[in-house]
Amino acid sequence: MDYSYAGARWVQNYLKRKYGDDKVAQIGTKGTLAAKASVRLVGKTLGYDAHIVDEFAKAIPNKPGIKLIEAYNQEERVRAYADHYKEWWEAALKLEGHVRSFGVHAGGIVLSPVPLTKVVPLRLDSEGLVTTQYDMSWIEKLLVKFDILKLDTLDLIKKTLEYAGLWGKFDIEDIDLNDPYVYEKVYNQLNLGGIFQCESDLYKSIIAEMKPNCFEDISVIMALGRPGPLDLIPSYIRRKWGFEKVTYPFPELEPVLKKTYGIFVYQEQIMESSRIIGNLTMGQADLLRKGIGKKKHDLMNRWIDLMIYGSEIYKQRHAELTKQYPNQEDIPLNEEGKPIIWVDYEYEDVPFVEGGINRGFDEQKLLELKKQWIKFGDYALE
């Protein structure tokens, strides 16, 4: 739920009054050392010249989530620095991924049926508010989590209405989100100052190309305006304006993808498609969504493959793979330092899934769909 800054604090205090101070807390976060940060920290600590530290860090490719070993395999300059400054490189490798700092989730609040001290370790944040030491990935497994997000945009809207003398005189829910005048005079003339995200250069360029004429277009722009899905925007625009034929991976997915011209834009579309193709339950489809939303490749691979093959074939495949590769360390790595194949060492515990092949869907088309979804997951928002 989104609230103004004052509203978010009020909701948090209300939850404490209703359920008890000892049962409500903010969710903590942990900042870990990524590849560049690890190189910078070690270089500075060892006393190397600031220019050399900066050049070494800049040699690492600007790829989200890249690991030092991947950078070493991909970039010749990284190899040159690593081979020359071996002590520095070895220390950076060991520190990479370790916790560097603690913070607070932007809107995460946790509720507990019993005092939190009996469930999770706690600490006080910089403002003295009770915060969990476990981060969100652990909290979700133990307790109920709410997102109470603070948006200064809501404060801005209120102030604007107050200064215009309109506050309390009409219901903001009555505004027509598809008013043609708004799209003609605001979006298509790029009068976007103060409109969250849309005012950035990236979104301005997308809006100029798309020429949105409805709220659905704005929603799509927000969803696709990220590094990976940016590739889909030209096709979406051509399909929207009738210059490219709208196609679907399977005819059965038309009801799910019709509004977005056959292109996967939202995580919910993947959830619903997985249910149509593989007959996944809502809970199983949500696990697939979680894998995509949080870039968890084990969940993505497991549930997409279960959707494709069904649990019986899936178990047979991974029984053979675990014999071939008894341990994770036995799996060969590619040039980026990543395993060439994914092996599920917990395959025996997967639940029953019928699978798309058993429901008459073409395997090759399903594997193409898997590539799309994996790419989608690499850039999907949480």
Side-chain angles (χ1 to χ4, degrees), residues 7 115 262 324:
Q324 187 176 355

Side-chain angles (χ1 to χ4, degrees), residues 28-183:
T29 60
K30 295 177 181 177
T32 56
L33 285 166
K36 287 179 182 283
S38 180
V39 165
R40 290 185 185 279
L41 179 63
V42 174
K44 183 178 178 181
T45 303
L46 293 178
Y48 286 103
D49 182 82
H51 176 72
I52 295 175
V53 172
D54 191 51
E55 289 300 310
F56 192 172
K58 286 181 177 178
I60 298 170
N62 291 316
K63 178 182 175 183
I66 191 169
K67 302 296 183 184
L68 285 174
I69 191 64
E70 293 178 57
Y72 184 91
N73 291 326
Q74 291 178 26
E75 181 60 49
E76 185 176 346
R77 285 197 304 152
V78 174
R79 289 195 293 274
Y81 277 112
D83 294 342
H84 186 72
Y85 300 102
K86 291 184 178 179
E87 181 187 19
W88 182 356
W89 177 251
E90 290 299 325
L93 283 172
K94 290 178 181 178
L95 281 178
E96 184 183 24
H98 281 252
V99 175
R100 182 182 187 182
S101 61
F102 294 92
V104 179
H105 191 278
I109 301 292
V110 62
L111 298 182
S112 172
V114 298
L116 281 163
T117 50
K118 296 184 177 181
V119 187
V120 295
L122 304 172
R123 61 179 172 84
L124 298 179
D125 76 349
S126 58
E127 297 180 9
L129 297 174
V130 177
T131 306
T132 66
Q133 292 198 46
Y134 287 169
D135 63 17
M136 187 168 62
S137 62
W138 277 98
I139 290 297
E140 289 180 317
K141 299 174 182 178
L142 302 170
L143 298 165
V144 176
K145 175 184 72 72
F146 287 94
D147 278 336
I148 311 297
L149 192 62
K150 309 177 188 73
L151 285 183
D152 58 5
T153 306
L154 297 176
D155 293 297
L156 178 63
I157 291 170
K158 182 180 179 183
K159 287 294 182 185
T160 302
L161 291 173
E162 287 176 344
Y163 290 148
L166 297 173
W167 181 253
K169 293 186 178 180
F170 73 98
D171 188 347
I172 199 170
E173 299 293 338
D174 291 338
I175 293 175
D176 180 8
L177 297 180
N178 293 314
D179 184 346
Y181 186 83
V182 172
Y183 296 94

Side-chain angles (χ1 to χ4, degrees), residues 269-286:
Q269 290 176 311
I270 290 179
M271 285 180 65
E272 186 58 30
S273 296
S274 72
R275 299 189 69 212
I276 292 171
I277 293 170
N279 201 22
L280 272 65
T281 66
M282 281 294 292
Q284 292 167 348
D286 190 55

